[in-house]
Amino acid sequence: MTRIRELDALRGFAVGGIMLVNTWQHVPKGDREPLDSVMLAAFQGRFYPIFSLLFGIGFVLFLRTGTRVALLRRLAVLLAFGLMQHTFYDGEVLTDYAAFGAAILLPASFLTPGVPVLLLGLAGLGWGVWQGGGTLIIPGLFLIGMALIQLRPDRRLLLPFFAVSTVATLVSSLFWHTSQVGAFYTLAAVTGAAAYGTGLLLILRPRLSAVLEPLGRLALTNYVSGTLVIFLTAPLIGESTPRWWVLVIAGLTVAAQIVFSRRWLLRYRYGPLEWIWRCLTWYRRVPNRLESNRDHHRPVSDPGLP
């Protein structure tokens, strides 16, 4: 199965955005500063919905070459990764993804593909938004992602969807004001994620894609290593530290991850944690080292972090 490069780029974009938001969230909050207002209005909650949607897409892609039993093993390994990550980072989402994947996506794989799954996902997302968001919107986004890869909507819908979601974000933002809870805040975050995702796909060109794709192909490695950086740099960020340190730490981390991911993929098919994940899923040592430049350009049958 050939990798879908646009999905890798979108996943890389989400990983970078999550690193920025997670770093900001772990800065001690005092009086609100300009950076806080920008983060709340433009970035907070905008990236993990993209990641969740891609998880649902990856679920379907995995089932095209694997079995449901193998998928359960894959989710079990992801749960184990999440539990290990939880020992140093309370805000990890891998355990939620593994649990919701088994409880929601696996049963949904028995439904008629396409529209029924989409309607169920929209209903679940609507309920999650009404309840105030957080992890409650993840199941609906999983199902919507699952339905989108099944339906394969026309690319010409990207522009109108981008326009509608941008307007919806602006309107929703008028109602939630400064609160970080409630239906309007969550709606603004979800529609903002839709605007960012479709906007990126509209402007995606080879040079930008070449930067984001490696980051997305090593999504698990980069997500976990990013939270480790936040944990290790926490003592450096105190009440007296200027807020712009958030941008420095997140920016340097993502830049280093981009460089590392590109160089790693020159020699290997899968990232470090992705390779371990794949070996444990299939109960065997999966070949990882590229043997030649020709191998480097060969399509890889791995949907990434589903």
Side-chain angles (χ1 to χ4, degrees):
M1 180 180 66
T2 303
R3 296 191 70 99
I4 303 175
R5 300 180 65 180
E6 289 180 325
L7 296 184
D8 283 332
L10 195 56
R11 190 178 291 111
F13 173 73
V15 168
I18 288 171
M19 178 62 199
L20 172 63
V21 172
N22 283 351
T23 308
W24 170 76
Q25 286 178 334
H26 286 77
V27 174
K29 298 299 188 292
D31 295 333
R32 179 171 294 178
E33 298 184 8
L35 179 59
D36 298 322
S37 298
V38 171
M39 292 298 299
L40 280 171
F43 300 111
Q44 170 76 352
R46 264 56 168 188
F47 299 102
Y48 82 90
I50 299 175
F51 217 56
S52 300
L53 195 78
L54 292 169
F55 193 96
I57 291 175
F59 192 96
V60 175
L61 294 177
F62 184 90
L63 281 180
R64 289 180 178 176
T65 57
T67 66
R68 290 183 176 88
V69 173
L71 188 51
L72 275 176
R73 290 200 303 266
R74 187 170 173 85
L75 292 173
V77 176
L78 186 66
L79 177 65
F81 279 141
L83 292 174
M84 288 187 286
Q85 186 186 15
H86 194 77
T87 61
F88 64 87
Y89 189 79
D90 292 337
E92 58 82 23
V93 297
L94 299 183
T95 52
D96 293 321
Y97 276 31
F100 284 132
I104 303 296
L105 287 177
L106 193 63
S109 68
F110 292 96
L111 297 177
T112 303
V115 174
V117 177
L118 179 61
L119 294 176
L120 186 62
L122 290 172
L125 179 60
W127 178 82
V129 169
W130 182 255
Q131 294 299 316
T135 58
L136 296 179
I137 66 173
I138 292 176
L141 289 165
F142 277 6
L143 292 170
I144 292 172
M146 187 177 190
L148 288 178
I149 195 65
Q150 293 168 341
L151 292 170
R152 293 280 186 156
D154 195 318
R155 185 180 174 84
R156 288 175 295 183
L157 295 175
L158 282 176
L159 184 56
F161 196 79
F162 168 74
V164 170
S165 31
T166 300
V167 172
T169 303
L170 295 175
V171 172
S172 302
S173 299
L174 295 176
F175 292 94
W176 65 262
H177 301 293
T178 58
S179 173
Q180 296 185 49
V181 295
F184 283 113
Y185 175 81
T186 305
L187 182 61
V190 171
T191 55
Y196 281 169
T198 52
L200 177 68
L201 292 177
L202 285 169
I203 66 169
L204 195 62
R205 297 294 183 271
R207 287 187 179 181
L208 177 59
S209 187
V211 173
L212 295 176
E213 280 182 48
L215 196 64
R217 287 182 61 178
L218 272 64
L220 180 61
T221 297
N222 289 325
Y223 168 68
V224 173
S225 63
T227 60
L228 184 59
V229 168
I230 294 172
F231 170 74
L232 294 175
T233 57
L236 302 177
I237 305 176
E239 292 287 354
S240 60
T241 305
R243 283 286 196 274
W244 55 265
W245 264 98
V246 169
L247 303 179
V248 173
I249 293 172
L252 289 177
T253 301
V254 173
Q257 289 175 336
I258 289 172
V259 173
F260 172 79
S261 299
R262 294 187 68 172
R263 293 180 65 87
W264 180 272
L265 290 172
L266 291 175
R267 300 181 64 182
Y268 300 99
R269 293 180 174 86
Y270 313 109
L273 291 184
E274 287 77 8
W275 178 71
I276 295 172
W277 191 14
R278 196 170 180 84
C279 291
L280 292 175
T281 296
W282 297 112
Y283 287 151
R284 61 181 175 86
R285 188 180 186 280
V286 177
N288 194 22
R289 183 180 291 273
L290 296 172
E291 297 180 358
S292 66
N293 290 334
R294 183 178 58 184
D295 289 338
H296 173 65
H297 296 286
R298 185 178 298 166
V300 179
S301 57
D302 186 349
L305 181 64

